Amino acid sequence: MFLELFLGFFTFLLIWDFIHKRRKNKLFKNAGIPGPKGLPLLGNILKLINENTETLTYFNKSMRTKYGKIWRMWFFHQDRVFVQDPKYFESILSSQQVISKNNSYSLLLPWLGDGLLLSTGSKWHARRKIFTPTFHFKILEQFVEIFDQQSTVMAKKLYDKADGKTVIDMFPVVCLTALDIIAETAMGVKINAQMNPDFPYAKAVTEVSQIIATRVIKGNQRYDIPFMITAPHIAFRLKKHISLMHDFTDTVIKERRVALEKSIADGSNKPLDVSDDMGVKKRMAFLDVLLQSTVDGKPLSNADIREEVDTFMFEGHDTTTSGISHTCYLIARHPEIQQKLFDEIRQVIGDDKNKAITTRELQELKYLDIVIKEGLRLYPPVPIIGRMTDSDVVLNGKLIPANTNITLLLYAALRDPEYFSNPDEFIPERFLNEKIDPFANVPFSAGPRNCIGQKFALLEMKSTISKLLRHFELLPLGAEVRPMQNLILRSASGINVGLRPRVYS
Ligand code: HEM
């Protein structure tokens, strides 16, 4: 009886899978989207069995050679369309229709909830509306002091290793700095991660990012039940670390709400304070904005706020870490560019390396702007993004059916020789001399769901990188990077440099 039921169910699955795939494959064929033949039920999943976050770059390259800049694959019963063509980027990213994220992001859900990154429809619109004014330049200006203070801590700590010989992997160093920065700007708390490197929250973030990125491409880990059966120890670690991060943000939110209610009760309700070593500053953290915001006249609950704060903590630190570390790596390996940067810094800020940098000075560092742009092009911190079509849509003249997973391969597109001359070379001047298609250069994405933290990120990057260059000469030491597309772009061999204290002659 059981065997008959099982066989009946299995036959039903096979027929359903066959009909579903035949219908969609026909639509893809009509739209001119090629792809490999797949097996019943499994689709093309076996193609990925030996792939990992490091080999993905080469895998995408080989698919592109075979099928062009747009192709499709089947992950079990789910279709996926992969795109690395700026023409498609333009129609996908500027569309007001295609704003939902694809189901790779669902793996982030237990951690980030339905925050700005993952939400869609009216919830996303309402939240985006609350946050947009928060990223106004005037507000970001108040964070420049935090960027400067935390990068000073980073520079001080790095002197211990600045002997001109020691290989330094910048990623873990910058990660703690970026974490200190985002905790203070997003939550209004100092977590002193740099002074306490074993900070459990930082460890949890790194480990959870790695587990989730592996789950994206490992067939046995992709869905919850097989994941729990085949890798129970990893599933347990994931759960434990997510609880740790949630407990941390919950505590901060509760404390800030009490402080806000107290200030309302005693009539002193002004933008909340973040105290620092120098005294007390009036400054609004992102969390404070949320505590005082309403949607349809109702304040946001602690749970609503937690998903947004977790999203900012995630989106706002690993990304900038990747960007800063890779850009330092490139600067270290291009001494002539480093010299130009240092000359500009001396001209704009002067020779006192301990002076705090001002917003105006940061804005005047124009050469640094293009160096960072080129760093983000070669090593985009967010190498892949995804969308899901909620209804049939025409994108770049092709009909893409409803419920199609679209994966936009930013890393590949940013090195496309059709759009960038000598695409693998580090040439900041290309941003002055070449006419660059705005949809070919999209490290922050584009359109309605672009990165809300773009200006914040660029200011933070300019502040930290200029601080390092004021204190140190960056040297080309250690192994070359081996890019890993692990949610954000990391390197399997570290992002290595050497440092020597800067001599002002
Ligand atoms: C160099 C650093 C950064 C890069 C390259 C970057 C890149 C991106 C990209 C490509 C997206 C689109 C994601 C998607 O479509 O799924 C995005 C979205 C987002 N980013 Fe960033 N980001 C950076 C820094 C930041 C920072 C510092 C913050 C916060 C302070 C932030 C907050 C967000 C948020 C909340 C979203 C979701 C926006 C929405 O969907 O409305 N990012 N970022």
Side-chain angles (χ1 to χ4, degrees), residues 41-58:
L41 298 182
L42 295 177
N44 307 110
I45 205 76
L46 295 182
K47 268 189 156 312
L48 290 176
I49 210 103
N50 292 321
E51 303 298 333
N52 58 42
T53 49
E54 196 184 342
T55 58
L56 217 53
T57 312
Y58 308 102

Side-chain angles (χ1 to χ4, degrees), residues 105-389:
Y105 291 71
S106 61
L107 295 172
L108 285 166
L109 207 64
W111 174 17
L112 305 184
D114 209 9
L116 199 59
L117 181 70
L118 303 184
S119 57
T120 188
S122 56
K123 179 166 182 181
W124 171 76
H125 272 287
R127 297 286 169 87
R128 181 94 190 192
K129 216 166 128 193
I130 293 176
F131 272 122
T132 301
T134 317
F135 283 90
H136 188 275
F137 198 77
K138 276 274 158 238
I139 310 253
L140 296 183
E141 223 179 337
Q142 358 154 57
F143 296 148
V144 167
E145 195 180 356
I146 297 175
F147 301 157
D148 189 77
Q149 285 166 0
Q150 295 299 350
S151 28
T152 302
V153 176
M154 172 172 68
K156 270 194 191 140
K157 291 197 67 169
L158 280 170
Y159 271 102
D160 287 349
K161 295 180 184 161
D163 55 9
K165 294 188 295 247
T166 304
V167 175
I168 305 166
D169 177 3
M170 287 306 284
F171 196 97
V173 176
V174 178
C175 187
L176 296 174
T177 312
L179 203 56
D180 273 338
I181 288 175
I182 195 68
E184 201 168 342
T185 50
M187 301 196 274
V189 290
K190 280 182 186 283
I191 57 171
N192 297 322
Q194 296 190 85
M195 302 313 285
N196 176 12
D198 286 330
F199 186 63
Y201 182 85
K203 282 193 154 175
V205 172
T206 316
E207 194 158 338
V208 168
S209 303
Q210 269 161 6
I211 294 173
I212 295 175
T214 308
R215 287 189 68 187
V216 173
I217 60 157
K218 286 274 169 218
N220 66 318
Q221 296 191 13
R222 183 78 182 73
Y223 301 97
D224 285 346
I225 294 172
F227 176 48
M228 282 187 281
I229 294 170
T230 59
H233 53 294
I234 305 179
F236 174 76
R237 274 211 325 272
L238 180 67
K239 200 161 178 272
K240 194 178 93 182
H241 287 314
I242 290 178
S243 301
L244 185 147
M245 293 190 290
H246 283 171
D247 288 348
F248 182 80
T249 29
D250 273 339
T251 309
V252 175
I253 293 165
K254 281 184 200 142
E255 282 171 11
R256 299 294 280 187
R257 198 183 280 284
V258 170
L260 172 68
E261 281 163 4
K262 204 164 147 238
S263 72
I264 292 173
D266 68 18
S268 65
N269 179 29
K270 297 187 191 86
L272 291 169
D273 299 341
V274 174
S275 20
D276 63 17
D277 300 332
M278 319 283 288
V280 176
K281 302 275 169 213
K282 298 277 180 231
R283 203 183 275 133
M284 260 314 232
F286 296 129
L287 167 57
D288 302 322
V289 178
L290 289 171
L291 282 168
Q292 300 185 41
S293 301
T294 53
V295 174
D296 298 332
K298 285 194 228 126
L300 299 172
S301 68
N302 282 9
D304 286 338
I305 294 177
R306 192 185 76 194
E307 56 197 19
E308 297 305 344
V309 172
D310 285 341
T311 298
F312 275 75
M313 289 299 299
F314 163 65
E315 272 291 320
H317 95 280
D318 253 8
T319 47
T320 44
T321 299
S322 173
I324 294 164
S325 311
H326 281 108
T327 307
C328 286
Y329 164 86
L330 287 164
I331 294 171
R333 278 154 179 80
H334 294 83
E336 67 301 339
I337 291 176
Q338 180 164 187
Q339 188 58 48
K340 272 170 105 170
L341 283 170
F342 184 57
D343 292 345
E344 177 180 76
I345 287 169
R346 281 184 98 169
Q347 198 195 341
V348 172
I349 312 172
D351 285 359
D352 177 2
K353 61 184 173 207
N354 296 315
K355 175 179 111 55
I357 194 162
T358 65
T359 313
R360 195 184 50 77
E361 286 164 345
L362 277 180
Q363 284 172 307
E364 279 175 32
L365 297 174
K366 301 281 184 213
Y367 189 63
L368 181 54
D369 268 330
I370 56 170
V371 167
I372 288 174
K373 266 191 180 177
E374 180 69 345
L376 294 173
R377 182 189 71 80
L378 278 174
Y379 297 108
V382 182
I384 294 177
I385 59 175
R387 292 287 185 276
M388 176 71 111
T389 54

